[in-house]
Amino acid sequence: MDGFFSRARRDRGASGIEYAALVTVATVVVAALLLTVSGVFAEQVGSAICRVFGGNCESGTRGARPLTWTRCNVDDKNRSLGFNLAFRGIRGDAAGKDGIVTQVVPGTGQRTAQVTLTGRSGLGVETGDRTDVGKLGKLNDRLKAGGKGKISVSAFAGINTELGFRYDFNGSDGKDPYAAAQKFLDSRRGSTWKRVLSGLGGSEGEAVENGAAEVVHGAKKAWAWIRGKDTRKMDAEEGQTPTAITFRVGEEATAGGQWSGAKQLGGEKVGLGLEAGAEGKQTASGDVTVVVDDKKNPQNNGMRIFTQRFTLDASGKLQGGADFGRLFPGAFDAGLKAALEGGAGVAGTQSVTFDRNGVPTRFTLQLDTEWKGGKSLTVKGGPNDKKTGSDKHKGTEGHKTSRLYSLDLTEPENRAAFDRLFVTVGGMVAVPRLQSPRHLGEALDQYGRAFAAHGQLVQFEYDTSGNTIEGGSVLGEKGIKRKGFGAGMTDDKTWARYRSGKYFDNEAPSAGWQALANCPRG
């Protein structure tokens, strides 16, 4: 009996270890594949594919194949609102996010758009802002005694789930897809109360919002019917069903630190304050997207896309302020605040597209790199008995490069290389094969040869605002946290605008880079 219970305990513990091992293996495989395909591409540009991989040198005279498997994201906007509550170090999260992206099909110039509505819930462990961890308490005592401010640290680790609904607009109804997408988004989450409802509801918030939207739509439809108007037109405009549904499971870990200090000058008539902070964040997630109602291409219904994503992000902020209120009569207030911030991030993503029968048809690796920086200046002044005037000038800038390495799995050679690296489960998930380092090296080499012969590389450049790789951060959170207790709120907005793009076809290396002429700058 003791053996049975001890074995059961070992089995329960194994699931967590196996999950961690699977995430580690997936991270290693994605990193190795990105190194493999990027190295192969460098050889192709140098026209050395024939010598390195023994390819068919005569294929260099072919023209590049048209780019059909991806789109140019002309303008990509996202906003999210989240709330969290911590009690004794246990934190619960709920957030809602909406996004709209306007797109162009590179080969034809066709305009399309997508709206995505997502709810998120999470649970984890956090420290809050701590000033007494380990030797930090003694250090802060010395800083306080010398009037040199204080240092606080925070950390969080947790898991989360997301439920998302994607709505596609492609002009099949004769309407401009960009305008139709924006109108639909405004009807779903245009009001502040809807955003708050989504944020508080988390993963269930989208269902609540959709239900509320349907009630409003029903009332409008009834009123139109009473007035003798055509209600079918209203169904076409507002009764849109999602094109695809996404379910995501992820984990994240964040650690940050901050120093803050204050000093009085001129006989305590001028107050100065300075803060400096830094943060690092790591995430990993896996999701499955299922196409449920593609009106323009019904043959795509049932198609699935499995995605794994890994990110690393670092950011820093320096902020200073001055209070001149005591220089003036008691009825007047004046001051200013200035801030500088910056950061960088990298993300690796692998996605596998399955057809409606569960057969993998395309494998794509994506590498995103981003840097960003910003500054702000706030000046205030006015009588205390009136609302203090404020003049705020803020500028942010950033740049993101996305490189996509894609392989058509309907070709037998490519599928064989893919199968040596991954095992497909249920026609919608692909997990790395567990194999020895020698066999993994051989599998990577085989995939490298397949990509060298048949792969395509696309490179997009974007101007950005905010952290487009992994959303907000602790440095941008508002609220009160102390020793594992408190509440917080995040309100983030990001956008990415298309700057330029090009692609390279390994089946036609002599054709060189091909410009995406049909894709306009955002």
Side-chain angles (χ1 to χ4, degrees), residues 115 164-168 184 188 206 210 239-245 290-295 301:
V115 170
F165 297 82
R166 193 190 81 203
Y167 301 82
D168 292 356
F184 174 77
R188 290 288 171 142
E206 175 56 31
N210 277 335
Q240 180 156 342
T241 56
T243 306
I245 299 175
V290 181
V291 178
V292 295
D293 188 16
D294 190 335
K295 294 181 175 61
N301 292 338

Side-chain angles (χ1 to χ4, degrees), residues 438-459:
R438 180 175 67 86
H439 290 154
L440 177 60
E442 293 173 352
L444 289 171
D445 180 68
Q446 182 176 345
Y447 187 87
R449 291 176 182 272
F451 182 80
H454 306 293
Q456 285 183 314
L457 164 67
V458 184
Q459 180 169 308

Side-chain angles (χ1 to χ4, degrees), residues 60-64 503-505 508-514:
T61 60
R62 295 179 50 185
Y503 79 100
F504 190 93
D505 188 355
S510 64
W513 284 102
Q514 303 294 303

Side-chain angles (χ1 to χ4, degrees), residues 92-147:
D93 294 88
K97 177 180 178 181
D98 63 63
I100 179 171
V101 53
T102 55
Q103 303 171 315
V104 168
V105 180
T108 64
Q110 178 190 358
R111 290 153 52 97
T112 64
Q114 291 181 345
V115 170
T116 304
L117 307 179
T118 305
R120 167 178 166 144
S121 299
L123 185 67
V125 180
E126 76 168 0
T127 63
D129 292 329
R130 299 295 297 269
T131 60
D132 55 355
V133 179
K135 298 181 179 180
L136 186 59
K138 295 182 179 179
L139 175 60
N140 274 323
D141 289 340
R142 293 197 297 269
L143 291 175
K144 183 178 180 180

Side-chain angles (χ1 to χ4, degrees), residues 341-356:
E341 56 185 306
V346 61
T349 306
Q350 69 172 40
S351 62
V352 183
T353 302
F354 297 84
D355 65 16
R356 62 194 306 168

